[in-house]
Amino acid sequence: EAISELRLLTGDGRYSRSIPDILVELGRIEFAHGWHADGINDLTRLEKLLDPPDKVAEGLVMLGNDARLRRIDDREALRVYQIGARAGGNTFWGNRARELASALSDLARLREQKLKDSAWVSWNFDMAELYLLRLNGRDSARVAYRRILSDTNSKPVQKARASYALAWITDDERGDTAAFDPSTWLQVVHAWPGTIFAKTAQLNAGVEVTTVTRDDSAESLYRKAEMRWMDDSNPEAAVSEFKGLIPKFPETQAGRRARYAIAWIHDNLRHDSAKASPAYRQVVDSLPGTAWARKADAILKGQPHDFLEGVVLKHDSDEDFEEGAEQIEGLKKFGPRSPKTPALQSDEPEAIPPPPEEQFLQPDDFN
C-alpha cells in the first residue's frame, strides 16, 4: 500500500519531494523486502533524470550495487556507476559512483593479466586490497588472502602479512559494541614470532609486547654505535660498530642510516677525505634514489645541500648529521597512525602496519 502511494506521487506535481527522492525511497524499500524486479524498474528510471544530482547518483549507486553484489554482473554495475558519476558530478554520491566505477575497471584489468607462477602472490595482494579497501568485499578479500597462505611461492613475510590482514578483517567485523576477543590477534603472534606483524598483533590484542623484530635489533645496535662518538668521543669505534651493523641488518632503516653515518664521521669528525669520499660513494651506489644518496652525491660534487633533499639552490649553513637526525625526529609530530589499520600496499616485506618507531615520515618519503 505504501509502495503504491509513493508510486502515485511520482506523477503528482503538487508534491514537494522530487521524483528522484521518491524513486530512491521506493528502491530502498523494495530491495529491503526482496522485491528486486520492482526495485530495479524504479531505480532504472533515474538513468534519464538529472536533478537533484546527488539523489540521482545515490539511487544509481544502489542499482549498481545490486548488479554487482546480487546479480554478479560487473559489466552492468560498471555501466550504471558511470552514469551515476556523470549525473552526480562532484557530489558525495557522484564521487562514490566514480570510485566504484574506477575500482571495477581496475578489477577487470587485474583479471585480464597473464602471470607467471611467481607473480600470483602479488596479484592476490592487489586483488585482496581492491576488494577490501575499495569495494567493501570482505569475503572476496578473504579468499585472496587465503590463496596467498596456500601458495607454495609465498615467502614467510608475505604469509605473515596475509595472516595479519585476515585477523584485521575478523576483528573489524565485530564492531565497537561486541565484546573484545584477542584470540585472532594472538594467533598471528604465535604463528609468526619475531615479525612486525606479531609485534603489532600484540599491541592490538592489548597484551604485553614481547616481540623483538629485526628492526628493533638493528636500532639497538645503531644507538650503541651512536654512543661511541656522542658519549665516548670515539669516532673510530663508532665506525667499527656501524660497519658491523650493516651486513647483519642491511634491509633495515638503521642499516641504511649506518652507511651514511660512516661517511659523515670520516668527513666531519675524523676529517679523513680519503675515507670519506669512497664512503659517500658507497651511499650513492647502495641507496639510489634516497635522501641519503642525494645528500652524499651533493657532498661529492661540492654542491650546496641540506639533510633531507640533497642539493639546494641557497643555504645559510651546512647542517650536520646530528641536526638532520633531529629534524627526522621532529617529523614524528605527524604520527603515529592507528596500529590496527592494515597498510596493504605491496608484496615487499613492509609492515602492516609499520612498527611504532617507523610510523612517521622517513627520508625515503621525500623522494
Side-chain angles (χ1 to χ4, degrees), residues 119-335:
W120 280 110
V121 176
S122 296
W123 185 89
N124 276 310
F125 271 122
D126 290 340
M127 187 69 72
E129 292 162 20
L130 192 152
Y131 274 117
L132 179 61
L133 304 178
R134 300 174 65 187
L135 293 173
N136 197 29
R138 294 171 182 268
D139 290 339
S140 296
R142 277 195 180 95
V143 170
Y145 285 129
R146 287 168 180 161
R147 284 198 297 261
I148 294 168
L149 293 176
S150 62
D151 192 335
T152 56
N153 289 312
S154 297
K155 300 175 183 178
V157 70
Q158 293 168 327
K159 291 186 176 183
R161 175 183 166 192
S163 294
Y164 182 96
L166 287 169
W168 185 92
I169 293 172
T170 300
D171 184 69
D172 193 62
E173 282 181 333
R174 291 194 183 98
D176 296 331
T177 59
F180 177 66
D181 181 5
S183 61
T184 53
W185 295 118
L186 295 178
Q187 289 173 11
V188 176
V189 175
H190 296 316
W192 307 104
T195 66
I196 184 56
F197 308 100
K199 182 175 182 178
T200 310
Q202 285 182 314
L203 285 170
N204 292 337
V207 300
E208 181 184 0
V209 178
T210 58
T211 301
V212 178
T213 67
R214 285 179 57 80
D215 287 287
D216 294 332
S217 300
E219 198 64 34
S220 177
L221 290 178
Y222 187 92
R223 297 305 179 193
K224 180 181 177 182
E226 275 189 327
M227 291 174 63
R228 293 291 180 265
W229 61 276
M230 288 185 174
D231 297 344
D232 301 342
S233 300
N234 191 342
E236 292 83 359
V239 168
S240 178
E241 296 276 1
F242 283 129
K243 286 182 176 179
L245 161 63
I246 294 170
K248 292 179 181 178
F249 304 100
E251 82 287 0
T252 64
Q253 186 71 9
R256 301 164 83 179
R257 292 203 313 270
R259 290 180 171 87
Y260 186 89
I262 291 172
W264 186 91
I265 290 173
H266 283 314
D267 187 13
N268 294 273
L269 296 182
R270 304 189 68 228
H271 305 290
D272 189 341
S273 59
K275 291 184 178 180
S277 180
Y280 281 130
R281 175 53 55 191
Q282 186 178 34
V283 173
V284 173
D285 295 339
S286 61
L287 302 175
T290 66
W292 313 104
R294 288 194 295 273
K295 179 171 173 80
D297 187 57
I299 291 172
L300 288 171
K301 294 176 179 178
Q303 296 173 324
H305 53 271
D306 66 13
F307 179 75
L308 292 175
E309 288 297 331
V311 178
V312 295
L313 296 178
K314 296 180 181 180
H315 70 295
D316 297 322
S317 63
D318 185 11
E319 299 167 345
D320 63 16
F321 185 75
E322 308 98 359
E323 292 170 340
E326 289 172 2
Q327 289 186 20
I328 292 296
E329 287 295 314
L331 293 174
K332 293 185 178 181
K333 295 177 182 178
F334 292 102

